[in-house]
Amino acid sequence: MLRLLCGKICPFGYLQDWMNKIPFPKKVRTFKGDKVLRYLKFAVLIAWPVAEELSLFGEWQMSAPLVIGLTALALLCILTSRPFCKYLCPVGAVLGLFNLLPPGRYKVNSDSCTKCGACSRVCKMDIEPYKTPNSIECVRCGKCKKKCPISAIS
Ligand code: SF4
Ligand code: SF4
């Protein structure tokens, strides 16, 4: 349920969606290492407070590494959908765990689902909702539910 914050409210999520609409010759949905890289956000979740405690960040100000990092992230947002959510966001790492609990769970009617894959094709997190409706990667944007021609996802 709390994951709705990522799919429906987070302005940075909307910014990433908007940037991903910018045309690019070849968009990337997934790649070798994508699944492993998604654990990086849990490392960020653990490392962030430690770095804060050790005052490693200092004052936020425009510096060459920050500009390079932001430019790389902007390019990634054009190339693939929601890269920050997939790989870096520590808030999403925590909120994703709520997908496992009621009332935030999705259910797929396996009797009516034809496994057409229409839900997977619109998924901005590039998961397969008809196979893993309660993946912790799902941001609960609801696009798969809307796209399913027979309303098999509830
Ligand atoms: S779009 Fe609906 S019918 Fe098609 S695979 Fe997804 S849940 Fe099943
Ligand atoms: S599985 Fe559905 S609700 Fe979750 S991110 Fe993908 S399209 Fe959105």
Side-chain angles (χ1 to χ4, degrees), residues 108 112-120 130 144 147-150 152-153:
V108 176
S112 54
C113 173
T114 59
K115 300 183 174 48
C116 67
C119 51
S120 306
Y130 69 100
C144 54
K147 192 70 185 176
C148 178
I150 50 162
I153 306 173

Side-chain angles (χ1 to χ4, degrees), residues 2-141:
L2 282 173
R3 195 62 152 143
L4 283 172
L5 293 170
C6 304
K8 304 271 193 201
I9 293 169
C10 177
F12 195 51
Y14 281 109
L15 179 65
Q16 290 175 86
D17 291 344
W18 177 79
M19 292 184 77
N20 193 242
K21 289 196 174 98
I22 296 172
F24 194 79
K26 186 154 172 55
K27 299 275 182 177
V28 176
R29 279 189 69 91
T30 190
F31 55 91
K32 208 174 168 204
D34 169 60
K35 280 203 170 88
V36 176
L37 213 52
R38 291 190 188 217
Y39 289 107
L40 191 58
K41 55 184 171 288
F42 292 100
V44 174
L45 177 67
I46 294 163
W48 192 282
V50 176
E52 283 277 355
E53 192 62 32
L54 299 175
S55 303
L56 292 183
F57 292 134
E59 286 282 308
W60 282 100
Q61 52 189 310
M62 274 301 161
S63 60
L66 185 61
V67 172
I68 292 169
L70 289 176
T71 307
L73 184 59
L75 288 174
L76 271 178
C77 288
I78 296 170
L79 200 65
T80 188
S81 68
R82 296 263 180 147
F84 187 79
C85 307
K86 284 175 185 164
Y87 310 119
L88 292 173
C89 183
V91 179
V94 174
L95 296 185
L97 299 174
F98 286 89
N99 288 351
L100 303 170
L101 307 170
R105 290 177 67 80
Y106 271 10
K107 204 169 143 200
V108 176
N109 185 334
S110 52
D111 293 333
S112 54
C113 173
T114 59
K115 300 183 174 48
C116 67
C119 51
S120 306
R121 286 191 289 277
V122 295
C123 179
K124 55 183 79 180
M125 293 298 281
D126 295 317
I127 56 182
E128 294 178 298
Y130 69 100
K131 289 184 187 164
T132 54
N134 296 304
S135 162
I136 60 171
E137 294 295 316
C138 170
V139 293
R140 294 302 192 234
C141 67

